[in-house]
Amino acid sequence: MEFRRIPSLPPYVFTIIDSLKVEARRAGEDVIDLGFGNPDLPSPDIAVEKLAEAARNSRNHRYSASRGIPKLRQALADLYLRRFGVELDANTEVINTIGAKEGLSHLMWVLAQPGDAVLVPSPSYPIHLYAPLFAGAEVREIPLGTGVDFFETMQERWEYSWPKPRVILLSFPHNPTTLCVDLDFMQRVVDFAREHEVLLVHDFAYADLGFDGYSPPSILQVPGAKDVAVELYSLTKSFSMAGWRVAFLAGNADTIAALARLKSYLDYGTFQPIQIAATVVMNEASEHPKLVNDIYQSRRDALCGGLERLGWTIEPPRGTMFVWAPIPEPYRHLGSIEFASKLVREANVAVSPGVGFGPGGDGHVRFALIENEQRIGQAVRNLRKTLTDLEAP
């Protein structure tokens, strides 16, 4: 049997590090996993309690609604009004998705087809690059990096692309580079989209993870953005609910309707008790994202401060749950896969090789802040013994 789409996928490089991690643990080693961005913080108690209560009601065991139950969509609309001052019509401008990855992948099915082009930052979270490809579209990469004017580069890539991209996929704060933008940047992007009749898709996965007083802006805060933009919002990081698979697409009503039509053929929605619990969480645990944010900021400080003392200088990120670290000069020749492999084998510290996020990431590795400060301190001590070519200040 010859399979479709699968042969075109490159090897998932993260499995290389994962295999080394598993091998080391089987040998009895204590590997500190800062690779996979899988939040370790528990979900709010109120979510667990409401889930259990709703699951005991047999009426909730039937098929649900693929768009999300009305109270769930209204809870998201209320959250956006409180958090961002954005008014959303819960019936026409909000839809529930089974996680942001499912939402983005299915969204691309209704926005792109063979012969179309989509602009995507690079390096990027893998599904951002592959969701358009699964839909048959071509991806035009917008390089992200130190000293690069992203908006200017985006304009150039659009101008010199053929066919002209009909969708621009953005995500700020950005995974893996941690690049953050302000509301003025969002205004410029919306203006560009209006002028060139482009749809903007903003993955707002780290909406509530901003440090040192920085507050990530929603693209929907720009007046008139709903004419040209949709935004993905997830409970994964903000409410520590990764495994629950609850996310939303909000914004342009025509795009929401198109996704709703497709989803009506594909699914019957998330298990209804999960939707009920998610509704209660957004309405009654609005303080939880702030608690989560404070924990990640403390972990960021512990990691970046520890690496600085080793002689591995890294600019602390202003958002996300990651640290995007340029490979230190004495080890740069190894490339990200070999360097990450060295850290697992010799330091018992797992990180993600930058090349897994696209070719532009090969000079970096990504740390995920998914261990407590004590474990992060142990990781730094392990790295000190391994990275002997670094010069501590």
Side-chain angles (χ1 to χ4, degrees), residues 123-139:
S124 224
Y125 186 51
I127 196 62
H128 292 171
L129 296 167
Y130 288 100
L133 294 175
F134 290 151
E138 296 182 28
V139 170

Side-chain angles (χ1 to χ4, degrees), residues 159-183:
E159 187 66 37
Y160 293 109
S161 289
W162 187 259
K164 287 286 185 284
R166 67 196 316 266
V167 178
I168 299 177
L169 176 54
L170 303 171
S171 183
F172 297 107
H174 185 256
N175 176 17
T177 69
T178 74
L179 179 67
C180 294
V181 300
D182 56 20
L183 194 55

Side-chain angles (χ1 to χ4, degrees), residues 11-12 15 22 27-28 45 49 60 97 109 148 221 240 260 262 299 325 375-377 379:
Y12 203 56
T15 60
V22 170
D45 289 341
E49 292 163 5
N60 293 324
T97 64
W109 287 15
V148 175
Q221 288 178 267
S240 307
L262 178 69
R299 292 177 178 185
R375 295 283 284 169
I376 288 172

Side-chain angles (χ1 to χ4, degrees), residues 56-78:
R56 292 190 187 100
N57 186 337
S58 61
R59 288 178 299 177
N60 293 324
H61 298 178
R62 307 179 71 183
Y63 291 133
S64 189
S66 64
R67 297 174 66 237
I69 59 177
K71 287 185 179 180
L72 175 66
R73 287 181 276 116
Q74 187 60 53
L76 189 279
D78 293 343

Side-chain angles (χ1 to χ4, degrees), residues 75 77-86 282-283 286:
D78 293 343
L79 182 152
Y80 259 69
L81 187 59
R82 289 193 311 269
R83 175 77 171 78
F84 306 110
V86 172
M282 286 188 285
N283 288 337
S286 58

Side-chain angles (χ1 to χ4, degrees), residues 312 325-337 339-340 354 361-365 390:
W312 188 349
I327 299 173
E329 182 60 43
Y331 304 97
R332 198 159 296 166
H333 65 281
L334 295 174
S336 62
I337 293 178
F339 182 67
D362 199 27
H364 295 72
V365 292
L390 294 182

Side-chain angles (χ1 to χ4, degrees), residues 16 18 20 52 79 113 123 131-132 171 173 198 233 239 244 269 274 286 289 293 295 378 387 393:
I16 298 172
D18 192 56
L20 291 172
L79 182 152
Q113 64 182 6
S171 183
V198 177
Y233 181 89
F239 291 89
W244 300 61
I274 290 178
S286 58
N293 186 80
I295 290 171
Q378 182 61 54
L387 303 178

Side-chain angles (χ1 to χ4, degrees), residues 238-273:
S238 300
F239 291 89
S240 307
M241 294 172 66
W244 300 61
R245 310 314 300 140
V246 180
F248 303 87
L249 187 72
N252 182 263
D254 290 339
T255 305
I256 300 297
L259 181 59
R261 186 174 179 185
L262 178 69
K263 278 174 62 65
S264 70
Y265 284 87
L266 296 176
D267 69 72
Y268 290 108
T270 304
F271 185 41
Q272 190 151 294

